[in-house]
Amino acid sequence: MPKAAPTHQPLLSVSNLKVAYPIRSSVLRRIVGEKVAVRDVTFEVKPGETVGLVGESGSGKSTVARSVIGLIKPDAGAIGFNGHDITRYSPRQLKSVRREMQMVFQDPYASLNPRLTVRDLIAEGWRVHRDVVPRGNWTAVAQELMERVGLNPDYSDRYAHQFSGGQRQRIGIARALALKPKLIICDEAVSALDVSVQAQVLNLLQDLQEELGLAYLFISHDLSVVEHLCARVLVLHGGEVVEEGSVHDIFDRPQHDYTKALLAAVPVVRPWLGRSVSSSTSTHPERLTQGGTIAPNIQSREERNDIYS
Amino acid sequence: MAEMRIGSDAVTRSAAASLLSVRDLQVEFTTAAGVARALDGVSFDVSPGETLAILGESGSGKSVTGQAVMALLPKPAGSIVGGSIVYDGLDLTARPVKDVRKLCATEIAMVFQDPLSSLNPVFQVGYQVAEPFRRRLGMGKREAWGKALELLKRVGIPDAETRIGDYPHQFSGGQRQRIMIAMAIALEPRLLIADEPTTALDVTVQKQIIALLADLQAETGMAMILISHDLGVVAQVAERAAIMYAGRIVETGPIREVYDRPAHPYTRGLLDSIPSAAEIGGRLTPIVGSPPNLLALPSGCSFNPRCPFATDRCRTKVPALRQPASRGSDHAAGCHYSEEVLADA
Amino acid sequence: MSADQAVITIAPSHARRLRATVSARILVPLVVIGILGIGAIVVPVLYNYDPLHADLLVRLKPPGTAMPDGSIAIFGTDKVGSDLFAEMMAGTRVSLIVGASTLLIAGIVGGILGLLAGYFGGWLDTALMRIADIQLAFPSILLAILLVSVLGQGILNVIIVLSISNWVIFARVIRSQVLGLKSLEYVEAARTLGASHFHIIFRTLLPGCIAPMLVIASVEFGYVVLAEAALSFLGVGAPFGTPSLGSTISTGTQYLASAWWISTIPGLLLLVLVLATGVLGDALRDRFDPRLRSA
Ligand SMILES: Nc1ncnc2c1ncn2[C@@H]1O[C@H](COP(=O)(O)OP(=O)(O)OP(=O)(O)O)[C@@H](O)[C@H]1O
Ligand SMILES: Nc1ncnc2c1ncn2[C@@H]1O[C@H](COP(=O)(O)OP(=O)(O)OP(=O)(O)O)[C@@H](O)[C@H]1O
Ligand code: SF4
Ligand SMILES: [Mg+2]
Ligand SMILES: [Mg+2]
């Protein structure tokens, strides 16, 4: 099974990461304070492993991803990649790291440059890193990659808007693969896809991992997807890691109340069969979100359901 | 549940039982690239106190169905080109848009996916919730405000007394959706159409909103149409489900029957695509191929290029919605080979 | 779905009509400008036009007069007896050269500054935009007169002066375009590939700015031509001996009562030129409107 983590030294090790966004005054845009988006986040990703990052909207998942890939600068903490702290790297050194670390974005529409053909989209990384693929082979290798992610290589001259959402996400994956990375960060990479297409893309990600030994940092608000794909899971709440463990521990024996609430809220496809997640439903999720109201009892609804159907 | 006659083109129920009865509805969009038939022969019924889930992937026509009922189709691009929408004995397709809107204002309400863009940012929420009371029922300012407060409490806004004067941006996404629901149920509609009411929300909030809708329905006895692309979310509350594909309802029936014994390959494909605890780490079974393009639908059954059961017959003959042998009378699927699909399980 | 839906919100008849008129509105002005351009090159040569030549015998002749050399002055002659048609076309040549050069300079300078300001933000952005604000607050024709009086007359100076008062518009539009593009995921994607600032600015952002640049350029063209004419009219534009539509119109005003054609016909030509570029600009704007761009 691809999920069994080999016990190498970590590929990515994040320690005590802190990121704060400036708060600006509305008129003069002067910085009047800061909002700490994540604090004290520590985790590791081993080569070939899939680590899931879950949490509610605003819990800081994207912030972690974006600081790991270098889109934002952390305020404190270290991000080790292959044993080197890349937060201290110069832009030139960072460039070589970026080759090994790629990202697949959430929005299959906004993440592909509308003015480039599929071939050029895939080749863009080679334009930046000249030594990966010689220029004469760009078309051939790009077509190989298209085939690899399940796209018809004859379409390499088409533009992204001529593809469906799922196909576009495959283009995004091909682009990420073009630089032969070791780690791919997927920030809600399948969230915008319909469930049948999402399953295709998830299978593809698994195949690629098996074949190329990729490691994934997989961010999703959909817990069933994370449960399906990840070996280890990190639960983020209010910018802090509240629980971390193997997927079995987290989903079968959640310790933290927040994790329990999150799991209890996952919709079950066939509620009449009883919950598949063995977590207790005693914790009301309401207590942990801003709402703070008394929960209408969903259990009674399920029983009503049985009478109707 | 009322009896159904499963025919080639219509599923008829006794008229008294259903509040809304849509028959063979056809909606077309004229676009720069051609005419797209967004709905093609959609029929369903909703009875008072019942929840119907309309499910399907993006672009399958779920929202258009809701828009057609509410006379909200974007003009002039979209129009109803056939069929009927009978609400409480009244054919809405035969009436001027103005009348339908008027009816909708009091009897049919709608909740949308994005609560922020449906609320006016410059008015206090209390004012917005009170508006229907003042406009429709001619209540005085104070009385309407009191009603609004009552409603906000009922949908679970904490500290409603102090928060009633706040503006929409001061509420969280889940709270804004609660406010939208408060506005929708203000005049005690007999039918509530909720178009992806929880898609923009976190799972924990989503659960609360769905529970709120279910509770309100149980209290008021209104009928509800719950539109969603998420098979799990609606399973908690809906009694019946209608699965849409490329503008058609391909399967309909009691939600439990549909989920446990899908008679259409598409329904089955959807259910198999959902990651479940059973095959953790294993492979999923997605539906092969890409979603259909309404401007170039395949001949015969529009699902045939993606269907593992497809034969030549599927490529020439459009399957009608019918009751598969050995299934209950209210379970219907639009597939030539439903029996094989059921037997294959 | 969202992209598809955004594209197809216009009924086909309506959309087809709109797209048909867009093509016509692009084609017709292009033909008009093309004919004027060819005329501006060819006519003065054919007529052997010499701006310094004077033939007082045939001065102030009305349109259609037969000339001593056997030709017919279709638009008449001016106060020194030059053929008005040849003079006008020579003037058009100046107008077109000034317009094109100004837009090229202003477009490149303004475009680059706008790209940099939008991409890097910070003090560069603040400084540039303050300069732009100040300049926009100052009437541009006044600024031009001021500058010409410092630099002196001459076509080159006119171009410089008009470029200075026009780069701001390019800079502002491109900057706001970049601000919009910058936050799109595909620009971030380029960053995660390790692309340099140069790569992102010129390979990723610039192509997205070409369309608005073209639109402003064609809208501005008319203004520039008018401004050049105005400067020449006021006597601070094209120097003596360089025919320009503005100076022709200006001298003609003294003879409005006796020889109406000297001012009026070049004025009409100027109107046609400005209208053509204006229509072209609007049509381009519609063409690049995503709601009309489909299938
Ligand atoms: N550019 C920014 N400026 C200021 N605050 C920001 C910025 N980006 C994010 N934040 C804030 O930081 C916190 C974490 O945001 P982040 O985007 O990481 O959350 P997330 O877990 O990815 O949420 P979602 O599931 O909605 O994507 C939020 O409170 C958010 O409002
Ligand atoms: N305003 C419009 N103009 C043209 N076509 C439209 C318009 N609105 C919807 N359509 C088309 O009608 C079809 C059905 O759209 P609809 O919005 O009902 O899908 P949906 O099932 O609600 O999908 P989603 O899950 O993405 O909301 C789509 O193919 C869409 O392209
Ligand atoms: S009719 Fe044929 S193609 Fe359509 S769903 Fe049934 S078996 Fe598949
Ligand atoms: Mg995020
Ligand atoms: Mg919809």
Side-chain angles (χ1 to χ4, degrees), chain C residues 201-213:
Chain C
I201 292 174
F202 291 102
R203 291 197 59 92
T204 309
L205 293 173
L206 181 62
C209 297
I210 295 293
M213 284 254 252

mmCIF file with all atom_site columns, all heavy atoms in Angstrom, chain C residues 201-213:
data_model
loop_
_atom_site.group_PDB
_atom_site.id
_atom_site.type_symbol
_atom_site.label_atom_id
_atom_site.label_alt_id
_atom_site.label_comp_id
_atom_site.label_asym_id
_atom_site.label_entity_id
_atom_site.label_seq_id
_atom_site.pdbx_PDB_ins_code
_atom_site.Cartn_x
_atom_site.Cartn_y
_atom_site.Cartn_z
_atom_site.occupancy
_atom_site.B_iso_or_equiv
_atom_site.pdbx_formal_charge
_atom_site.auth_seq_id
_atom_site.auth_comp_id
_atom_site.auth_asym_id
_atom_site.auth_atom_id
_atom_site.pdbx_PDB_model_num
ATOM 1  N N   . ILE C 1 201 ? 6.272  39.419 -14.910 1.00 0.00 ? 201 ILE C N   1
ATOM 2  C CA  . ILE C 1 201 ? 5.771  40.691 -15.439 1.00 0.00 ? 201 ILE C CA  1
ATOM 3  C C   . ILE C 1 201 ? 5.566  40.614 -16.944 1.00 0.00 ? 201 ILE C C   1
ATOM 4  O O   . ILE C 1 201 ? 4.519  40.989 -17.460 1.00 0.00 ? 201 ILE C O   1
ATOM 5  C CB  . ILE C 1 201 ? 6.750  41.830 -15.086 1.00 0.00 ? 201 ILE C CB  1
ATOM 6  C CG1 . ILE C 1 201 ? 6.739  42.075 -13.578 1.00 0.00 ? 201 ILE C CG1 1
ATOM 7  C CG2 . ILE C 1 201 ? 6.377  43.107 -15.818 1.00 0.00 ? 201 ILE C CG2 1
ATOM 8  C CD1 . ILE C 1 201 ? 7.762  43.066 -13.122 1.00 0.00 ? 201 ILE C CD1 1
ATOM 9  N N   . PHE C 1 202 ? 6.564  40.080 -17.653 1.00 0.00 ? 202 PHE C N   1
ATOM 10 C CA  . PHE C 1 202 ? 6.484  40.188 -19.109 1.00 0.00 ? 202 PHE C CA  1
ATOM 11 C C   . PHE C 1 202 ? 5.885  38.975 -19.801 1.00 0.00 ? 202 PHE C C   1
ATOM 12 O O   . PHE C 1 202 ? 5.365  39.089 -20.892 1.00 0.00 ? 202 PHE C O   1
ATOM 13 C CB  . PHE C 1 202 ? 7.869  40.519 -19.688 1.00 0.00 ? 202 PHE C CB  1
ATOM 14 C CG  . PHE C 1 202 ? 8.301  41.904 -19.318 1.00 0.00 ? 202 PHE C CG  1
ATOM 15 C CD1 . PHE C 1 202 ? 9.211  42.123 -18.303 1.00 0.00 ? 202 PHE C CD1 1
ATOM 16 C CD2 . PHE C 1 202 ? 7.742  43.000 -19.966 1.00 0.00 ? 202 PHE C CD2 1
ATOM 17 C CE1 . PHE C 1 202 ? 9.587  43.404 -17.940 1.00 0.00 ? 202 PHE C CE1 1
ATOM 18 C CE2 . PHE C 1 202 ? 8.111  44.287 -19.604 1.00 0.00 ? 202 PHE C CE2 1
ATOM 19 C CZ  . PHE C 1 202 ? 9.028  44.490 -18.593 1.00 0.00 ? 202 PHE C CZ  1
ATOM 20 N N   . ARG C 1 203 ? 5.949  37.829 -19.165 1.00 0.00 ? 203 ARG C N   1
ATOM 21 C CA  . ARG C 1 203 ? 5.373  36.667 -19.831 1.00 0.00 ? 203 ARG C CA  1
ATOM 22 C C   . ARG C 1 203 ? 3.982  36.309 -19.311 1.00 0.00 ? 203 ARG C C   1
ATOM 23 O O   . ARG C 1 203 ? 3.195  35.696 -19.998 1.00 0.00 ? 203 ARG C O   1
ATOM 24 C CB  . ARG C 1 203 ? 6.287  35.446 -19.687 1.00 0.00 ? 203 ARG C CB  1
ATOM 25 C CG  . ARG C 1 203 ? 7.575  35.562 -20.466 1.00 0.00 ? 203 ARG C CG  1
ATOM 26 C CD  . ARG C 1 203 ? 8.220  34.198 -20.616 1.00 0.00 ? 203 ARG C CD  1
ATOM 27 N NE  . ARG C 1 203 ? 7.322  33.267 -21.294 1.00 0.00 ? 203 ARG C NE  1
ATOM 28 C CZ  . ARG C 1 203 ? 7.313  33.070 -22.603 1.00 0.00 ? 203 ARG C CZ  1
ATOM 29 N NH1 . ARG C 1 203 ? 8.157  33.725 -23.370 1.00 0.00 ? 203 ARG C NH1 1
ATOM 30 N NH2 . ARG C 1 203 ? 6.475  32.225 -23.146 1.00 0.00 ? 203 ARG C NH2 1
ATOM 31 N N   . THR C 1 204 ? 3.722  36.649 -18.062 1.00 0.00 ? 204 THR C N   1
ATOM 32 C CA  . THR C 1 204 ? 2.437  36.253 -17.489 1.00 0.00 ? 204 THR C CA  1
ATOM 33 C C   . THR C 1 204 ? 1.451  37.415 -17.433 1.00 0.00 ? 204 THR C C   1
ATOM 34 O O   . THR C 1 204 ? 0.302  37.277 -17.813 1.00 0.00 ? 204 THR C O   1
ATOM 35 C CB  . THR C 1 204 ? 2.652  35.680 -16.070 1.00 0.00 ? 204 THR C CB  1
ATOM 36 O OG1 . THR C 1 204 ? 3.675  34.688 -16.127 1.00 0.00 ? 204 THR C OG1 1
ATOM 37 C CG2 . THR C 1 204 ? 1.383  35.043 -15.552 1.00 0.00 ? 204 THR C CG2 1
ATOM 38 N N   . LEU C 1 205 ? 1.939  38.581 -16.954 1.00 0.00 ? 205 LEU C N   1
ATOM 39 C CA  . LEU C 1 205 ? 1.011  39.701 -16.776 1.00 0.00 ? 205 LEU C CA  1
ATOM 40 C C   . LEU C 1 205 ? 0.806  40.503 -18.065 1.00 0.00 ? 205 LEU C C   1
ATOM 41 O O   . LEU C 1 205 ? -0.314 40.862 -18.405 1.00 0.00 ? 205 LEU C O   1
ATOM 42 C CB  . LEU C 1 205 ? 1.521  40.636 -15.672 1.00 0.00 ? 205 LEU C CB  1
ATOM 43 C CG  . LEU C 1 205 ? 1.519  40.042 -14.257 1.00 0.00 ? 205 LEU C CG  1
ATOM 44 C CD1 . LEU C 1 205 ? 2.207  40.985 -13.284 1.00 0.00 ? 205 LEU C CD1 1
ATOM 45 C CD2 . LEU C 1 205 ? 0.088  39.780 -13.812 1.00 0.00 ? 205 LEU C CD2 1
ATOM 46 N N   . LEU C 1 206 ? 1.908  40.753 -18.771 1.00 0.00 ? 206 LEU C N   1
ATOM 47 C CA  . LEU C 1 206 ? 1.815  41.614 -19.955 1.00 0.00 ? 206 LEU C CA  1
ATOM 48 C C   . LEU C 1 206 ? 0.795  41.116 -20.985 1.00 0.00 ? 206 LEU C C   1
ATOM 49 O O   . LEU C 1 206 ? -0.025 41.913 -21.462 1.00 0.00 ? 206 LEU C O   1
ATOM 50 C CB  . LEU C 1 206 ? 3.206  41.792 -20.594 1.00 0.00 ? 206 LEU C CB  1
ATOM 51 C CG  . LEU C 1 206 ? 3.246  42.688 -21.833 1.00 0.00 ? 206 LEU C CG  1
ATOM 52 C CD1 . LEU C 1 206 ? 2.813  44.104 -21.489 1.00 0.00 ? 206 LEU C CD1 1
ATOM 53 C CD2 . LEU C 1 206 ? 4.644  42.722 -22.443 1.00 0.00 ? 206 LEU C CD2 1
ATOM 54 N N   . PRO C 1 207 ? 0.799  39.820 -21.335 1.00 0.00 ? 207 PRO C N   1
ATOM 55 C CA  . PRO C 1 207 ? -0.192 39.385 -22.341 1.00 0.00 ? 207 PRO C CA  1
ATOM 56 C C   . PRO C 1 207 ? -1.625 39.694 -21.925 1.00 0.00 ? 207 PRO C C   1
ATOM 57 O O   . PRO C 1 207 ? -2.467 39.965 -22.775 1.00 0.00 ? 207 PRO C O   1
ATOM 58 C CB  . PRO C 1 207 ? 0.038  37.868 -22.421 1.00 0.00 ? 207 PRO C CB  1
ATOM 59 C CG  . PRO C 1 207 ? 1.441  37.669 -21.979 1.00 0.00 ? 207 PRO C CG  1
ATOM 60 C CD  . PRO C 1 207 ? 1.686  38.711 -20.935 1.00 0.00 ? 207 PRO C CD  1
ATOM 61 N N   . GLY C 1 208 ? -1.880 39.694 -20.638 1.00 0.00 ? 208 GLY C N   1
ATOM 62 C CA  . GLY C 1 208 ? -3.225 40.000 -20.174 1.00 0.00 ? 208 GLY C CA  1
ATOM 63 C C   . GLY C 1 208 ? -3.544 41.484 -20.265 1.00 0.00 ? 208 GLY C C   1
ATOM 64 O O   . GLY C 1 208 ? -4.676 41.895 -20.047 1.00 0.00 ? 208 GLY C O   1
ATOM 65 N N   . CYS C 1 209 ? -2.514 42.301 -20.528 1.00 0.00 ? 209 CYS C N   1
ATOM 66 C CA  . CYS C 1 209 ? -2.727 43.753 -20.583 1.00 0.00 ? 209 CYS C CA  1
ATOM 67 C C   . CYS C 1 209 ? -2.811 44.265 -22.011 1.00 0.00 ? 209 CYS C C   1
ATOM 68 O O   . CYS C 1 209 ? -3.116 45.436 -22.240 1.00 0.00 ? 209 CYS C O   1
ATOM 69 C CB  . CYS C 1 209 ? -1.590 44.482 -19.867 1.00 0.00 ? 209 CYS C CB  1
ATOM 70 S SG  . CYS C 1 209 ? -1.502 44.096 -18.121 1.00 0.00 ? 209 CYS C SG  1
ATOM 71 N N   . ILE C 1 210 ? -2.503 43.416 -22.971 1.00 0.00 ? 210 ILE C N   1
ATOM 72 C CA  . ILE C 1 210 ? -2.447 43.873 -24.364 1.00 0.00 ? 210 ILE C CA  1
ATOM 73 C C   . ILE C 1 210 ? -3.803 44.403 -24.825 1.00 0.00 ? 210 ILE C C   1
ATOM 74 O O   . ILE C 1 210 ? -3.893 45.473 -25.434 1.00 0.00 ? 210 ILE C O   1
ATOM 75 C CB  . ILE C 1 210 ? -1.986 42.716 -25.290 1.00 0.00 ? 210 ILE C CB  1
ATOM 76 C CG1 . ILE C 1 210 ? -0.563 42.313 -24.952 1.00 0.00 ? 210 ILE C CG1 1
ATOM 77 C CG2 . ILE C 1 210 ? -2.090 43.124 -26.750 1.00 0.00 ? 210 ILE C CG2 1
ATOM 78 C CD1 . ILE C 1 210 ? 0.484  43.351 -25.262 1.00 0.00 ? 210 ILE C CD1 1
ATOM 79 N N   . ALA C 1 211 ? -4.853 43.661 -24.497 1.00 0.00 ? 211 ALA C N   1
ATOM 80 C CA  . ALA C 1 211 ? -6.178 44.065 -24.975 1.00 0.00 ? 211 ALA C CA  1
ATOM 81 C C   . ALA C 1 211 ? -6.567 45.458 -24.466 1.00 0.00 ? 211 ALA C C   1
ATOM 82 O O   . ALA C 1 211 ? -6.882 46.334 -25.275 1.00 0.00 ? 211 ALA C O   1
ATOM 83 C CB  . ALA C 1 211 ? -7.210 43.025 -24.576 1.00 0.00 ? 211 ALA C CB  1
ATOM 84 N N   . PRO C 1 212 ? -6.494 45.709 -23.156 1.00 0.00 ? 212 PRO C N   1
ATOM 85 C CA  . PRO C 1 212 ? -6.835 47.062 -22.715 1.00 0.00 ? 212 PRO C CA  1
ATOM 86 C C   . PRO C 1 212 ? -5.899 48.126 -23.293 1.00 0.00 ? 212 PRO C C   1
ATOM 87 O O   . PRO C 1 212 ? -6.338 49.240 -23.585 1.00 0.00 ? 212 PRO C O   1
ATOM 88 C CB  . PRO C 1 212 ? -6.712 46.995 -21.188 1.00 0.00 ? 212 PRO C CB  1
ATOM 89 C CG  . PRO C 1 212 ? -6.058 45.723 -20.878 1.00 0.00 ? 212 PRO C CG  1
ATOM 90 C CD  . PRO C 1 212 ? -6.289 44.796 -22.024 1.00 0.00 ? 212 PRO C CD  1
ATOM 91 N N   . MET C 1 213 ? -4.624 47.767 -23.511 1.00 0.00 ? 213 MET C N   1
ATOM 92 C CA  . MET C 1 213 ? -3.699 48.726 -24.108 1.00 0.00 ? 213 MET C CA  1
ATOM 93 C C   . MET C 1 213 ? -4.185 49.136 -25.493 1.00 0.00 ? 213 MET C C   1
ATOM 94 O O   . MET C 1 213 ? -4.180 50.317 -25.844 1.00 0.00 ? 213 MET C O   1
ATOM 95 C CB  . MET C 1 213 ? -2.311 48.077 -24.258 1.00 0.00 ? 213 MET C CB  1
ATOM 96 C CG  . MET C 1 213 ? -1.562 47.971 -22.970 1.00 0.00 ? 213 MET C CG  1
ATOM 97 S SD  . MET C 1 213 ? -0.249 49.151 -22.905 1.00 0.00 ? 213 MET C SD  1
ATOM 98 C CE  . MET C 1 213 ? 1.178  48.194 -23.075 1.00 0.00 ? 213 MET C CE  1
#
